Each structure stands twice: as structure tokens, then as C-alpha cells.
Amino acid sequence: MSNDETFAAAYREHYWAVSRYVARRLDGRSSDVEEVVAEVFTVAWRRRSDLPPSPLPWLYGVARHCLANAVRGYGRRRRLVDRLGNDESAQGNQVVAGPDSESPGDWVHEALARLSAADREVLRLTAWEELGIDEVAVALGCGNRAAAMRLHRARRRLRAEIDRLQMTVAPGIGTPRRDTPKEHGHG
């Protein structure tokens, strides 16, 4: 099979998996998702001779880098908007969620949000993308042992955050009290 045919097969087979991967990380902002997925497959086209026999983990690795670039770009645009004074807070258009707006599983997402980006990613690759440790290693660009260790540590940190959140549960309510998320520099 030629490189062009290999790329075409990878595109047909994995387009939607890559789209879901990106959408989950961008909270479904459809125009942003389409832009990042297009970049992923542009990179894959340029590097079609490098496509491995099982390209999905490799495509996830490319998507990670494209997402990082996109997030940096969003941050730059946001800082520019803030400097110009056209942000929502300056216009008084802030939306405040009501007390009943939390879903029953929001505390899990809150615990996940308290983890480092690296921890969140390794957990998402195994849970959301259902990758095995060898595929996680390809997506993260590291060895199998390093991927297994990262996953083990991320799971341990997630458990600790869940335990912390459960300790702050208001009596009789059943959902954790919302504390300010802390940035963790886990490596």
C-alpha cells in the first residue's frame, strides 16, 4: 500500500476517534475542534511515510501537540482581549451558575481538574480513549515503563483528590463543597 493509501485508510478509520479525542479536551467547541482535527490530519499527511501500522495512538500524540498549540493560541487571544478591556467581566455579562446546576458526577470532574495536565492526559488516554499501556506510550512519546509509571502515579493522585473532596462533603447533601482548585506541579 502506498503512503497516500495508508494515509487515506488512517483518515477514514480514525477521523471520528481523533475528533472525539479533541472534542473532549476542548469541551465540544465545534469550530475549535474542527480546526484542531484538521491540523492533526495535515500533520499526518505531511508525515504519511511515518504512519505506523496501528496509527491511532500516533495520531493521538499528534493531537496532543496540536491541542497544546491551540490552547497557547487561545491564551494569547484571551490576554489580548483582557488588555483591550473587552472581556465579559468588563461588560457585566458574567453568567453565574445556580446551586442546582451541578450534575451528580461533577465532583469526579472537579477531582480530575485539580490534577496536573500530564496526569489528566494519561488518565484520559486510558479511560476515554481506551488505550492500552503500549498505546499510551506511543501517544505520550515515552517508553512503556514510563507510561505505566505515569498512569500509576496519576491514578494515585486522582484517588487522593477524590478522598480530599469527599472529606469536604457538606453533611446530608451528598456533593462536595467547592473549594478553589489548586495547581499541582506533579511531574
Side-chain angles (χ1 to χ4, degrees), residues 24-39:
R24 284 190 283 260
R25 284 151 180 83
L26 291 179
D27 297 324
R29 298 185 306 243
S30 61
S31 63
D32 296 337
V33 170
E34 292 169 7
E35 189 175 313
V36 172
V37 171
E39 181 62 24

Side-chain angles (χ1 to χ4, degrees), residues 81-102:
V81 168
D82 288 347
R83 280 196 309 266
L84 295 174
N86 291 328
D87 64 342
E88 293 173 352
S89 60
Q91 303 298 322
N93 294 332
Q94 295 168 312
V95 177
V96 178
D100 298 330
S101 65
E102 282 194 38

Side-chain angles (χ1 to χ4, degrees), residues 25-132:
R25 284 151 180 83
L26 291 179
D27 297 324
R29 298 185 306 243
S30 61
S31 63
D32 296 337
V33 170
E34 292 169 7
E35 189 175 313
V36 172
V37 171
E39 181 62 24
V40 169
F41 283 102
T42 299
V43 170
W45 171 257
R46 285 193 299 255
R47 296 188 53 201
R48 62 192 176 277
S49 64
D50 297 335
L51 281 172
S54 297
L56 186 58
W58 185 86
L59 289 168
Y60 286 155
V62 172
R64 285 182 61 238
H65 294 288
C66 291
L67 280 163
N69 290 337
V71 167
R72 280 192 297 274
Y74 302 146
R76 285 190 298 270
R77 284 191 293 277
R78 182 70 202 164
R79 286 189 298 276
L80 175 62
V81 168
D82 288 347
R83 280 196 309 266
L84 295 174
N86 291 328
D87 64 342
E88 293 173 352
S89 60
Q91 303 298 322
N93 294 332
Q94 295 168 312
V95 177
V96 178
D100 298 330
S101 65
E102 282 194 38
S103 307
D106 279 352
W107 60 272
V108 174
H109 294 288
E110 184 170 339
L112 191 62
R114 290 172 177 239
L115 298 178
S116 69
D119 284 349
R120 286 192 306 267
E121 183 62 12
V122 72
L123 291 167
R124 288 172 176 163
L125 285 168
T126 56
W128 291 356
E129 313 316 330
E130 300 177 355
L131 296 185

